[in-house]
Amino acid sequence: MNSSATLSAPPAPAAELAAALRANREQTLTQLYAHTFPMLRRYVQQRGGSAQDAKDVFQDAVVVLYEQAVSGRLTLTASASTYLFSVSRNLWKQELSRRSRQPATPLSDDHTQLPDTAATDAAPPDVTDMVLQHLAQLTTKCRRMLVSFYYFQQPLEQIAAEHQYGSIRSATVQKFKCLERLRNAVRPVFRNAFTS
Amino acid sequence: MMRPELERLHHIERHLLGAAPAPEWPLLQLLDADLEADTELQRQLYQGVYRAGQQQLRQELHQIHQRLYRRRGWLQAGTNYLHQLRRLWRRA
């Protein structure tokens, strides 16, 4: 890394970062973004990439950071910003390597052909896509609750407060009701597609 | 107490996401013929919710990027425009 700015920042322990991400995701991510992205953009642009390339690899790295932090799998030996820069830089090196192996080719007629209908019909339906479709049909409250708990790993105390539940117990029951609604919506399709 | 259907979801969740396996799980498997299929379905539900979370996080990051840099983009464009006007004014 060629910047002293990130190295001079005191290392934030992973647990503190996870707590900050859970408590105030937007503010924590905005600070990390503003602190790290300009350096990464410069790095990528100096090595043949565009600002869009920098944005893509940086956001991939933030997703990795978030998931590792809240699941307790993150070990920080430097600042979160340094870690983020390092992951982004590795992703960009991988991308450069991929591009050198598969140079971009102009779109030919083949690329514009519609996929073969028979082949599409034969492909098994993607269950995750199916779940996503049904999840989108739940109420906003249910959807937010499930995503907040299972992906963002927000504590139930916080979820209960955000959704105005009187207790953690009420929030827990509501979370399972939402999960039940989703399961009931998906189950018939799942059984038809995968057990017949 | 939650109703039995919700308790069942809870048992499956503990089995799939819990740090330690639920001790009563082998017994439940013997007693409940649908347990295996429902456990697989619930695992798929978590994968779907996880994917939805990733999509939401990417959307939030996109919005943060827009907020941080779009305004600067406008400022930069405005400054460039003023410089251009100044150059034109000097030439005239």
Side-chain angles (χ1 to χ4, degrees):
Chain A
M1 191 188 296
N2 57 3
S3 168
S4 60
T6 54
L7 295 174
S8 64
E16 270 180 39
L17 176 67
L21 286 169
R22 287 195 183 106
N24 197 338
R25 185 167 71 245
E26 187 185 339
Q27 187 188 331
T28 309
L29 290 177
T30 301
Q31 283 171 355
L32 269 175
Y33 212 112
H35 194 234
T36 319
F37 180 71
M39 283 179 290
L40 193 269
R41 182 172 51 196
R42 218 163 28 243
Y43 176 88
V44 169
Q45 286 180 323
Q46 283 167 357
R47 285 157 184 80
S50 64
Q52 183 62 44
D53 291 329
K55 183 183 166 191
D56 291 342
V57 292
F58 182 73
Q59 294 191 355
D60 285 347
V62 177
V63 173
V64 170
L65 175 81
Y66 188 92
E67 291 176 359
Q68 287 189 339
V70 297
S71 65
R73 288 180 285 119
L74 180 68
T75 308
L76 283 178
T77 53
S79 72
S81 184
T82 303
Y83 178 86
L84 200 48
F85 185 94
S86 174
V87 174
S88 307
R89 186 181 52 192
N90 288 339
L91 288 174
W92 175 239
K93 283 179 181 169
Q94 285 171 19
E95 176 59 17
L96 276 180
S97 165
R98 191 193 67 77
R99 287 182 189 181
S100 67
R101 287 195 308 273
Q102 295 175 323
T105 49
L107 286 175
S108 65
D109 288 346
D110 291 345
H111 291 95
T112 59
Q113 296 284 318
L114 288 170
D116 181 21
T117 315
T120 310
D121 288 347
D126 184 76
V127 192
T128 309
D129 286 344
M130 207 163 69
V131 175
L132 278 173
Q133 283 170 21
H134 287 285
L135 187 63
Q137 288 164 17
L138 294 182
T139 61
T140 307
K141 196 171 186 175
C142 258
R143 201 168 53 244
R144 281 184 56 194
M145 190 168 221
L146 292 176
V147 171
S148 297
F149 183 79
Y150 292 110
Y151 182 73
F152 290 111
Q153 302 211 11
Q154 289 179 340
L156 271 166
E157 294 92 326
Q158 190 180 339
I159 294 173
E162 280 175 12
H163 294 271
Q164 285 95 42
Y165 288 107
S167 67
I168 296 172
R169 184 74 190 158
S170 308
T172 306
V173 173
Q174 188 55 43
K175 180 193 69 131
F176 280 115
K177 283 182 182 172
C178 293
L179 191 64
E180 183 185 42
R181 272 177 220 158
L182 181 62
R183 192 216 37 204
N184 290 346
V186 174
R187 184 148 64 182
V189 197
F190 181 81
R191 282 193 170 156
N192 286 341
F194 297 94
T195 57
S196 57
Chain B
M1 261 313 258
M2 289 193 285
R3 58 184 161 82
E5 294 86 353
L6 300 185
E7 285 292 351
R8 192 165 179 277
L9 284 168
H10 191 193
H11 277 302
I12 296 176
E13 179 161 306
R14 277 182 59 198
H15 176 70
L16 289 172
L17 306 179
E24 69 279 20
W25 189 256
L27 181 64
L28 290 173
Q29 272 182 311
L30 287 174
L31 299 174
D32 187 341
D34 294 328
L35 189 64
E36 198 179 335
D38 283 344
T39 303
E40 176 55 20
L41 173 56
Q42 200 159 324
R43 196 178 62 77
Q44 301 281 356
L45 296 185
Y46 294 140
Q47 280 187 7
V49 173
Y50 201 83
R51 176 97 69 87
Q54 284 181 327
Q55 288 177 354
Q56 186 183 322
L57 181 56
R58 285 180 188 281
Q59 184 59 35
E60 289 175 9
L61 290 172
H62 177 71
Q63 286 166 357
I64 289 172
H65 186 97
Q66 291 290 101
R67 268 203 310 278
L68 285 172
Y69 302 108
R70 190 180 51 186
R71 200 177 299 164
R72 289 185 193 174
W74 277 102
L75 270 176
Q76 190 62 51
T79 310
N80 291 344
Y81 180 69
L82 285 173
H83 281 304
Q84 214 172 354
L85 278 180
R86 220 167 91 181
R87 277 198 298 273
L88 287 172
W89 177 257
R90 278 181 184 164
R91 275 182 210 164

